[in-house]
C-alpha cells in the first residue's frame, strides 16, 4: 500500500505490517499485546497467537547463552542465598517474593531442554509451591515485563539466569 506520506508499506491480508524495535532476536515477540493494540500477524493477516511454550524450556540469549524460560518466555532466575540439596530452601520471602515470584510446579513432561535430575517441586514455609532445577529454587523477575528480557541478571550480585543444568549463568565463582 502507499502511505499518506508517499512511502510504500507491506500489508498482509490487507493489514499494514510493522516491526517492533525491541524484537531483536529471531522468534522474539516482545511487541505482542503492547498497549492492548499491537499483535503479531498470522499469514492470513489475522491476529496471531503466540505459540504456547512448555512449562520450562531453553532459549538462546545473545549475551548469556542457553537459559531457562517459563511458559510465557520469561527468564528464570536463581537466588544465590537459597539452598539446594538435601532440602531445597527459598530465602526469598515476603517483599522479596513480590519482586521475584516463585515459579510454580511444572510437570517433568512439560519441559524441554531442562535437566531432569533435580527437577522437582517443594512447598515453602509461606505455603507457596515452588519449582526447582537441579534442586535449586527458581523464580521470575517482576522487572521482566516481556518475554526475552533479562533485567534481573546480576541484580544485587545475587540473582542470575538459570542454565539448563540449574547453574547461575554469569555468577562469580564461589
Amino acid at each position: 500500500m502507499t502511505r499518506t506520506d508517499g512511502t510504500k508499506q507491506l500489508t498482509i491480508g490487507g493489514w499494514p505490517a510493522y516491526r517492533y524495535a525491541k524484537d531483536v532476536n529471531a522468534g522474539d515477540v516482545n511487541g505482542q499485546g503492547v498497549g492492548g493494540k499491537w499483535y503479531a500477524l498470522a499469514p492470513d493477516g489475522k491476529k496471531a497467537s503466540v505459540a504456547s511454550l512448555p512449562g520450562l524450556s531453553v532459549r538462546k540469549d545473545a549475551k548469556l547463552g542457553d537459559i531457562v524460560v517459563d511458559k510465557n518466555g520469561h527468564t528464570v532466575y536463581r537466588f544465590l542465598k537459597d539452598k539446594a540439596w538435601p532440602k531445597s530452601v527459598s530465602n526469598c520471602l515476603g517483599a522479596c517474593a513480590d519482586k521475584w515470584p516463585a515459579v510454580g510446579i511444572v510437570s517433568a513432561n512439560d519441559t524441554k531442554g531442562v535437566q531432569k535430575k533435580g527437577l522437582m517441586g517443594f512447598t515453602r514455609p509461606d505455603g507457596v509451591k515452588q519449582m526447582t532445577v537441579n534442586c535449586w529454587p527458581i523464580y521470575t523477575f517482576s522487572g521482566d515485563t516481556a518475554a526475552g528480557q533479562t533485567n534481573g541478571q546480576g541484580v544485587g550480585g545475587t540473582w542470575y539466569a538459570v542454565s539448563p543444568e540449574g547453574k547461575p549463568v554469569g555468577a562469580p565463582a564461589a
Side-chain angles (χ1 to χ4, degrees), residues 1-76:
M1 72 175 224
T2 303
R3 295 168 47 111
T4 55
D5 64 3
T7 60
K8 301 285 185 186
Q9 183 170 4
L10 173 71
T11 62
I12 300 174
W15 289 94
Y18 299 86
R19 182 184 166 282
Y20 188 59
K22 292 183 180 177
D23 285 343
V24 294
N25 298 310
D28 282 354
V29 288
N30 298 315
Q32 182 74 358
V34 168
K37 297 179 182 182
W38 295 96
Y39 297 93
L41 289 172
D44 63 0
K46 293 183 179 173
K47 202 185 302 182
S49 60
V50 177
S52 178
L53 294 171
L56 292 174
S57 61
V58 177
R59 176 179 76 80
K60 177 144 324 263
D61 183 83
K63 293 179 184 172
L64 303 174
D66 287 344
I67 58 173
V68 178
V69 296
D70 72 1
K71 66 183 177 184
N72 299 311
H74 289 162
T75 302
V76 170

Side-chain angles (χ1 to χ4, degrees), residues 81-105:
K81 295 181 180 180
D82 284 347
K83 292 186 170 60
W85 191 256
K87 182 179 178 188
S88 299
V89 175
S90 169
N91 286 306
C92 180
L93 304 167
C96 177
D98 292 337
K99 193 171 187 178
W100 299 92
V103 173
I105 306 299

Side-chain angles (χ1 to χ4, degrees), residues 90 93 101-106 120-132 137-139:
S90 169
L93 304 167
V103 173
I105 306 299
V106 175
M120 60 188 186
F122 73 102
T123 303
R124 299 162 23 142
D126 60 5
V128 172
K129 295 189 182 308
Q130 186 168 8
M131 193 67 192
T132 70
I138 56 174
Y139 309 80

